Amino acid sequence: MCPFSLLILLALSIYGPNLINADVLRPTQPPIFILGDSTADVGTNSYIPDCNATANFPHNGIDFVKSRPTGRFSNGLNSADHLARLFGYNSSPPPFLFLHSLKYGLQSGIYRGVNFASGGSGLLDETGLQLNVLNLPQQINQFVTVRRNLTAALGPELTEAFLARSLFCISTGSNDIFVYFKTRSTMPKEEFINLLMEAYENHIKTLYSLGARKFGIISVPPIGCCPANRLLNGTRCFEPMNDFARCFHSALDKLMCKLSSELHGMKYALGDTYKMTIDVIDNPRPFYFKNVDTACCGHGTLNAEGICNATASLCSDRRQYIFWDLFHPTHGAARLAANTLYGGPTLYVSPINFAQLAAEN
């Protein structure tokens, strides 16, 4: 990692958006619609009956207000929350299913955006099926309901303008790769990545047809370095899985470039979370992390042999850890990732960053 990039990322982690020109920093607060998996789930799965991928119990949320578990797979906030904060909100927009449970939620609570992300989901319909979570088509169907409510309240023209300035943030793909390895699939890597890209393209085009124009895309991090996956290789990063993550980003970069040339008015920012994360894992001290391989909360070797729950071993200083549990980042690591997505250089997010995407007309 070059020293200049390291300094930028370090400064972003400490000062956040203050490094960015104020005119770029605070565009008019865009509505934010968030889709994806557990890295962005702010409680969706807590509202799904018989869901087998939840986090609405201790020690999750130990650093949230009143140490309250919120359904986030985190000790505090996740990347979706931190991104929303950078755009001037207190936290991520609420889950669709929460708003749906309120008497007037879908009439009054949707104007700053909605979070549809569901932990355990992926790009493929079958990913997460056994966990009883919401796959991406189901999340998009929820957005259709939101769009219908917006149209009823604002009319077609204002709804079109509202959605055109909204950010559609998508964080997905990791679980599809997890399932590939867990099921010991024999499909060649290139064929599998192409399958994921076909699904991603269909999802983007569907959202575009519904009015989405600005896409903040979050790629797959070095998932082979998650504590649970390190156990597949002693305690070292499981490189075959990391190789899939790198190939995923490369293919996604080409796909987004192609789509932006085909879909009139579409703009995007693609976060290379593989590079931004591996750079921190390889050199954690400038970012004030000391532990890059062990889960803060869990059981057994690397705290990675069991989920984070009330009986799990819990680290005393969460600020020193990158990983909260078997797979997910801590509050601090998620904040660093969000700061980089929001205002980072093209080394980590391209062709523009999320702040520049929001400011685009």
Side-chain angles (χ1 to χ4, degrees), residues 324-345:
W324 165 241
D325 60 12
L326 282 73
F327 302 106
H328 304 99
T330 56
H331 172 105
R335 180 178 58 194
L336 175 58
N339 283 342
T340 309
L341 291 168
Y342 182 83

Side-chain angles (χ1 to χ4, degrees), residues 232-269:
L232 300 173
N233 187 33
T235 59
R236 298 185 301 275
C237 294
F238 184 55
E239 286 307 321
M241 203 173 281
N242 280 352
D243 182 46
F244 270 63
R246 288 189 295 267
C247 291
F248 182 94
H249 176 79
S250 178
L252 187 55
D253 188 21
K254 294 175 183 176
L255 173 64
M256 296 307 297
C257 184
K258 178 178 84 78
L259 289 176
S260 66
S261 67
E262 295 176 352
L263 303 177
H264 177 71
M266 175 193 162
K267 299 178 177 69
Y268 74 95

Side-chain angles (χ1 to χ4, degrees), residues 17 64 66 72 88 116 135 141 153 159 162 167 201 204 232 235 252-253 286 357:
F64 201 82
K66 297 182 179 179
R72 292 167 173 82
F116 307 98
N135 61 30
N141 284 338
T159 297
F162 177 88
L167 287 184
E201 180 171 4
I204 293 287
L232 300 173
T235 59
L252 187 55
D253 188 21
L357 178 66

Side-chain angles (χ1 to χ4, degrees), residues 121-124 127 172-181 192 196:
S121 66
L123 284 161
L124 304 179
T127 300
T172 189
S174 296
N175 290 319
D176 301 286
I177 299 174
F178 288 155
V179 171
Y180 177 95
F181 280 89
F192 180 68
L196 296 184

Side-chain angles (χ1 to χ4, degrees), residues 7-218:
L7 286 172
I8 288 177
L9 199 53
L10 175 58
L12 281 167
S13 72
I14 299 172
Y15 300 106
N18 293 328
L19 288 180
I20 303 168
N21 183 285
D23 293 333
V24 177
L25 168 65
R26 293 294 183 198
T28 302
Q29 288 177 309
I32 304 175
F33 295 96
I34 299 169
L35 303 96
D37 55 28
S38 56
T39 57
D41 186 341
V42 294
T44 291
N45 286 7
S46 302
Y47 294 90
I48 303 175
D50 301 319
C51 178
N52 295 315
T54 58
N56 54 349
F57 46 82
H59 296 300
N60 295 298
I62 191 169
D63 295 312
F64 201 82
V65 178
K66 297 182 179 179
S67 297
R68 178 170 59 90
T70 61
R72 292 167 173 82
F73 295 81
S74 171
N75 56 308
L77 300 178
N78 62 25
S79 295
D81 294 302
H82 290 301
L83 272 173
R85 282 188 162 190
L86 289 167
F87 284 110
Y89 297 107
N90 291 328
S91 61
S92 164
F96 172 88
L97 292 180
F98 168 74
L99 293 172
H100 192 264
S101 70
L102 303 178
K103 188 174 182 180
Y104 299 109
L106 290 181
Q107 282 73 45
S108 61
I110 58 179
Y111 292 100
R112 69 185 185 103
V114 180
N115 190 311
F116 307 98
S118 177
S121 66
L123 284 161
L124 304 179
D125 290 0
E126 57 268 28
T127 300
L129 194 63
Q130 295 181 334
L131 297 174
N132 194 27
V133 300
L134 297 176
N135 61 30
L136 266 180
Q138 290 172 309
Q139 295 177 37
I140 293 172
N141 284 338
Q142 290 180 341
F143 171 67
V144 171
T145 300
V146 169
R147 185 179 185 275
R148 191 180 302 126
N149 278 267
L150 287 168
T151 303
L154 303 176
E157 291 185 1
L158 286 178
T159 297
E160 181 181 349
F162 177 88
L163 295 177
R165 75 178 186 88
S166 300
L167 287 184
F168 287 78
C169 298
I170 307 176
S171 177
T172 189
S174 296
N175 290 319
D176 301 286
I177 299 174
F178 288 155
V179 171
Y180 177 95
F181 280 89
K182 184 176 181 179
T183 59
R184 299 183 179 180
S185 174
T186 57
M187 182 183 294
K189 178 180 65 177
E190 292 76 13
E191 184 179 340
F192 180 68
I193 295 297
N194 287 339
L195 181 66
L196 296 184
M197 291 305 111
E198 288 175 9
Y200 221 136
E201 180 171 4
N202 290 334
H203 298 320
I204 293 287
K205 287 183 173 179
T206 299
L207 288 168
Y208 178 88
S209 72
L210 294 168
R213 292 297 181 268
K214 297 182 179 183
F215 293 89
I217 306 296
I218 301 169

